[in-house]
Amino acid sequence: MTGRPGSGPEPLGFESLAIHAGQPPDPGTGAVVTPIFQTSTYAQSGVGQHLGYDYSRTANPTRTALEQCLAALEGANRGLAFSSGMAAIDALLRQLRPGDQLLIPDDAYGGTYRLVSRVHAPVGLAYQPVATHDLGALKEAFTPRTRMVWVETPSNPLLRVIDIAAVAELAHERGATLVVDNTFATPYLQRPLALGADAVVHSTTKYLGGHSDVVGGFIATSDEDLADRLAFVQNSAGAVPGPFDCFLVLRGVKTLAVRMDRHCANAQAVVELLSSHPAVERVHYPGLTTHPGHEVAARQMRGFGGMVSFTLRRGEDAAVAIAGATRLFTLAESLGAVESLIEHPHRMTHASVATSPLAVEPALLRLSVGIETITDLLGDLSQALDRFG
Ligand SMILES: Cc1ncc(COP(=O)(O)O)c(C=O)c1O
């Protein structure tokens, strides 16, 4: 391949960008895979004369490849990689000033809520949890000090769907920016910048890495001024990923499209099983035509994703027992990797919000449906659920 991938007359497709964007063969050696540049510093030919890299907190070639690749997938001009999803979220929150108000989903990821309420609020950030899927409630929550609207769609753990284009229009009318946490959907299923969002944030720990072997974060934006301010925080605070972590995410991303197709198909089959099982009270999945956000999801997403949550008729005790009774679904936090996981949000991922307005129903279980053989997954869930059906 010659030239920059995607720079020809025909834009490259998603799968091609995932494999090639930011990753031309190494000019020094011809290596087809972007090398892990495990170096902290770079030789200078004269004072201040270098090849674009002087210190690896500021920039590293493996990180540059990752930033260019993920930016291309989100359709962004700029991308910034961080050492975790929380570090990326923190860099965005640092764009706000004391007295500014942030609107945050009332079912936000617990770690995001903890960072807002216990790290940024004590130094002056005002915030308001709001049902971001309800445009009327969102309109009501704006104040003259609202500067940023934060949404997760589909949300964690209730899989609520937010109409990104409608919220972007509202936020911009009121002089606020819109940030979308696109961790659950990934750019393969949903591209928030094309729908009007100002920035997209990811925990690359999840589907982008895809193999439960790396922790990382990422921000994509086409707002050059915002990107410059984020790059300043990235370099000043220094929460950057190491080159090996960047390599792992780059490798994971190459198979994102095929993995997501299988995650979606397996989740759909799991949802069908859950929906007809007597032990199950309610299933949350945007692919269900009965889901309140189904129409919006069908419009703004290519598929409905691999995350499913559901409540048990027999309450918390049944939920906890089922979480401990599956064999192939591993009981663990996190999500988005090839292996299937089950967790109890009330006591696990969302324990930090148990006494807040974001508290999660104790009868709820969350599944990250992996890409194992679907009959094995269905058999595993059935044997656990049948004890309570
Ligand atoms: C939706 C969402 N955003 C952000 C994060 C935080 O990412 P990390 O754990 O990589 O810091 C998570 C982690 O579970 C998440 O689920």
Side-chain angles (χ1 to χ4, degrees):
M1 176 180 301
T2 53
R4 241 182 109 208
S7 61
E10 292 296 323
L12 290 180
F14 186 92
E15 292 83 348
S16 306
L17 288 172
I19 294 166
H20 296 292
Q23 303 159 83
D26 179 50
T29 60
V32 166
V33 172
T34 302
I36 301 166
F37 284 91
Q38 194 70 44
T39 184
S40 60
T41 190
Y42 306 80
Q44 305 199 2
S45 53
V47 174
Q49 289 171 12
H50 53 73
L51 301 171
Y53 294 94
D54 60 357
Y55 187 58
S56 276
R57 169 161 40 73
T58 314
N60 171 283
T62 318
R63 194 172 100 212
T64 303
L66 176 64
E67 292 178 334
Q68 290 182 357
C69 180
L70 295 186
L73 297 186
E74 286 289 0
N77 291 344
R78 302 274 294 274
L80 298 114
F82 291 83
S83 55
S84 69
M86 292 319 305
I89 291 169
D90 184 58
L92 282 159
L93 295 176
R94 282 170 193 255
Q95 304 308 312
L96 298 168
R97 293 287 158 260
D100 287 352
Q101 195 212 32
L102 167 75
L103 299 181
I104 182 174
D106 64 359
D107 65 341
Y109 167 59
T112 302
Y113 182 72
R114 179 175 57 195
L115 180 65
V116 167
S117 62
R118 297 182 55 190
V119 177
H120 286 272
V123 290
L125 178 66
Y127 69 97
Q128 178 64 47
V130 53
T132 45
H133 60 289
D134 176 348
L135 266 187
L138 191 59
K139 271 186 193 150
E140 290 276 295
F142 274 85
T143 73
R145 316 269 345 218
T146 307
R147 294 282 173 274
M148 187 181 277
V149 180
W150 194 275
V151 304
E152 294 176 18
T153 182
S155 70
N156 179 9
L158 293 179
L159 286 309
R160 286 183 179 147
V161 172
I162 286 92
D163 185 336
I164 297 172
V167 175
E169 201 183 317
L170 176 62
H172 295 157
E173 259 171 37
R174 308 287 177 100
T177 54
L178 173 64
V179 177
V180 177
D181 184 330
N182 205 25
T183 299
F184 271 34
T186 82
Y188 180 64
L189 299 182
Q190 171 175 283
R191 303 224 299 177
L193 297 181
L195 297 167
D198 299 283
V200 169
V201 66
H202 279 281
S203 167
T204 58
T205 317
K206 311 296 175 351
Y207 289 103
L208 299 183
H211 296 77
S212 296
D213 53 10
V214 63
V215 170
F218 182 72
I219 301 171
T221 182
S222 291
D223 178 334
E224 294 288 342
D225 180 50
L226 175 61
D228 287 345
R229 285 184 277 123
L230 290 166
F232 184 78
V233 171
Q234 184 194 40
N235 184 41
S236 304
V240 291
F244 184 61
D245 288 355
C246 294
F247 162 82
L248 285 173
V249 179
L250 273 172
R251 188 165 74 157
V253 155
K254 288 180 206 279
T255 56
L256 180 66
V258 289
R259 283 188 287 108
M260 290 314 293
D261 283 340
R262 183 60 64 87
H263 282 295
C264 291
N266 281 0
Q268 182 63 41
V270 163
V271 163
E272 282 163 23
L273 169 82
L274 294 174
S275 301
S276 61
H277 200 284
V280 175
E281 184 179 51
R282 206 165 51 250
V283 183
H284 303 283
Y285 186 64
L288 284 169
T289 51
T290 50
H291 185 290
H294 176 71
E295 271 176 39
V296 175
R299 199 167 63 231
Q300 74 185 13
M301 299 177 77
R302 187 204 291 242
F304 301 107
M307 298 302 297
V308 179
S309 62
F310 62 102
T311 50
L312 280 306
R313 281 191 204 287
R314 286 167 63 184
E316 180 170 16
D317 290 347
V320 170
I322 288 168
T326 52
R327 297 174 193 134
L328 206 50
F329 278 83
T330 303
L331 177 58
E333 303 214 356
S334 200
L335 61 106
V338 289
E339 65 278 340
S340 293
L341 302 179
I342 187 166
E343 69 114 3
H344 184 249
H346 182 72
R347 295 196 195 173
M348 294 172 66
T349 48
H350 290 64
S352 65
V353 293
T355 55
S356 79
L358 281 78
V360 175
E361 214 180 327
L364 187 81
L365 284 176
R366 190 187 76 180
L367 302 177
S368 173
V369 182
I371 63 170
E372 298 95 334
T373 310
I374 187 59
T375 46
D376 294 338
L377 294 180
L378 297 178
D380 187 33
L381 277 178
S382 296
Q383 64 79 25
L385 289 167
D386 288 350
R387 304 168 190 207
F388 295 89

